[in-house]
Amino acid sequence: RAKAENFDGYPNAGDVVILRKAHYGTKQGSLRFYDKIAADLRTIGLTQCPNEPCLFRYTSSSGMKHVCFLILYVDDGLIIGEDEALDYVCSELSKRYKCKCEEPDDYLGMDLRIKFGEISISMETFMDRKIPYRGNVFNPHYTHQRITRTDSSPIELHELY
């Protein structure tokens, strides 16, 4: 219940309004959407991971087992897997939601570069927006560390040890 204050259509500022449906931006909106889409994903045939409730797995029931995984964060989803499984899950999702099933460029602020057999993830675009100049940014978790934008190439892991 919410208290309406000078809400159009209600003559008295003290009228009470009952919201009968979760709405985007309300405190419960995200949870209600998650509950609905999780139920729909289970109906489609995806299995929810017991240890990570935002991760779902689909295994086709055809002769050859085709698998895909879907990760969901609020209203952003990322799906990866074999073509047959992807086609089925995307088709079923499109029947229920307005969604795009296409190769992504980014997910949750991370840049994704996908080539056959290889996926790379970076925060280059995010950092370009956050650090538009050359300078230091302090890491809030470790006050003794600085994040510095440089023109040098990334350090390979084997160079660190």
Side-chain angles (χ1 to χ4, degrees), residues 137-147:
V137 174
F138 290 97
N139 182 335
H141 297 290
Y142 301 100
T143 55
H144 65 281
Q145 291 182 347
R146 292 184 178 138
I147 302 170

Side-chain angles (χ1 to χ4, degrees), residues 28-40 42 97:
Q28 295 298 316
S30 298
L31 176 62
R32 297 289 181 246
F33 176 75
Y34 174 81
D35 289 345
K36 176 169 180 12
I37 196 166
D40 285 344
R42 288 188 294 271
Y97 299 94

Side-chain angles (χ1 to χ4, degrees), residues 21 25 27 62-64 71 79 86 106 120 123 138 152 158:
K21 180 174 160 183
K27 288 181 181 181
S62 64
M64 293 187 67
I71 189 158
I79 186 169
L86 288 174
D106 63 274
S120 67
M123 299 288 288
F138 290 97
S152 63
H158 69 276

